[in-house]
Amino acid sequence: MMGREGRFRICSVAAVLAMVSQMAFAEDWWKDSFATEGSSPCDNNDSIVTITDKSVDMWEVGCRLDKVQKINRLDAVILDMTCTDDEQGAEKRRELLLKLDNKVLRYPQNEVLQRCSELKAQPGLTPKPGLDPKARPDPKG
């Protein structure tokens, strides 16, 4: 039979493993490919933002992550990065990503991003007017 001390050790190890697995899951929520909420699926969409643990890649702009600060007790991260594009060269940027239900708020752009995997999973999704460059105005009105 297992004594009280043995059960305590097993419970302690189980609690630590549960906490570690939850922390690892919570830390990874911001690493993915996103597009502006309500836009077309991520294929050929210029609002795509792909975030990894080392970079943030956007349309015509690539950023190297210099520092990631996780905000305790809040599903948010601050990204300090060095970005380069063809026109302006290199510049320092700072962004806040705040986790919403299944989306991400990106500040200072103040835009809501949705995971590309969720945009693809919605077959009846229609883009918001003005976001689809192929959309034509209604001739009747």
Side-chain angles (χ1 to χ4, degrees):
M1 291 222 42
M2 188 179 301
R4 180 180 278 182
E5 188 175 318
R7 279 183 269 161
F8 178 75
R9 284 184 187 163
I10 290 174
C11 289
S12 298
V13 169
V16 168
L17 289 175
M19 286 181 5
V20 168
S21 66
Q22 287 176 351
M23 288 184 338
F25 180 77
E27 290 176 1
D28 293 335
W29 62 265
W30 52 275
K31 297 177 189 175
D32 206 346
S33 289
F34 301 92
T36 303
E37 178 184 37
S39 66
S40 60
C42 287
D43 300 333
N44 299 319
N45 185 334
D46 64 358
S47 73
I48 297 172
V49 179
T50 302
I51 306 169
T52 68
D53 57 345
K54 296 181 182 188
S55 67
V56 177
D57 294 308
M58 299 163 278
W59 182 260
E60 297 183 353
V61 178
C63 302
R64 182 189 75 239
L65 283 177
D66 300 323
K67 185 177 181 181
V68 176
Q69 301 174 56
K70 295 171 182 129
I71 300 174
N72 290 335
R73 300 179 189 213
L74 190 64
D75 283 333
V77 292
I78 296 173
L79 305 177
D80 289 311
M81 50 194 155
T82 303
C83 299
T84 55
D85 65 16
D86 294 335
E87 297 173 7
Q88 297 180 4
E91 68 174 331
K92 296 283 186 179
R93 292 188 188 178
R94 175 175 265 190
E95 291 184 5
L96 170 72
L97 300 178
L98 177 64
K99 182 180 178 184
L100 305 175
D101 289 329
N102 288 324
K103 298 174 177 114
V104 173
L105 174 65
R106 184 178 178 205
Y107 185 82
Q109 293 84 350
N110 201 28
E111 66 182 347
V112 177
L113 302 175
Q114 191 169 0
R115 292 183 190 283
C116 285
S117 58
E118 290 183 14
L119 286 170
K120 290 178 184 177
Q122 299 175 3
L125 182 68
T126 56
K128 291 182 182 176
L131 293 180
D132 186 0
K134 297 176 188 171
R136 296 186 182 164
D138 185 8
K140 295 177 187 176

